[in-house]
Amino acid sequence: MPAFVQGIAAGAPAIMVSNATVPGLSATPASLSRAVIAAELEGRLDFHGLIITDSLSAGAISATGLSTAQAAVEALRAGADMVMYTAMTSK
């Protein structure tokens, strides 16, 4: 989280959330996690800029059993403002 803290302190207008899991915080990919986006970024770190997901057509997302469309809904519910994906692999 140090890179996010430093970026926010420097005035970063946007943050991209990866599809990695954050042990101790969320067992789901960070881009789909309310604990990561709403609780940590917006809550604890007080970030109020644009939150963008990593590609929701990535293997880490399909491994959850969600389609790209379902993952997009989950990411928006978690607090993401913009979702990224590759249309050629979207289902």
Side-chain angles (χ1 to χ4, degrees):
M1 296 302 266
F4 286 105
V5 171
Q6 293 171 355
I8 292 167
I15 289 177
M16 178 179 271
V17 180
S18 80
N19 293 324
T21 58
V22 182
L25 188 58
S26 179
T28 60
S31 57
L32 307 180
S33 173
R34 188 152 184 78
V36 172
I37 296 174
E40 284 295 307
L41 285 177
E42 296 174 327
R44 192 174 73 78
L45 299 180
D46 199 32
F47 180 72
H48 299 289
L50 180 69
I51 298 174
I52 305 167
T53 68
D54 200 347
S55 178
L56 298 180
S57 50
I61 301 300
S62 61
T64 68
L66 296 173
S67 68
T68 303
Q70 291 167 323
V73 170
E74 292 303 311
L76 294 169
R77 284 184 179 151
D81 300 304
M82 177 185 274
V83 297
M84 304 288 283
Y85 66 94
T86 302
M88 292 174 36
T89 60
S90 178
K91 295 180 186 172

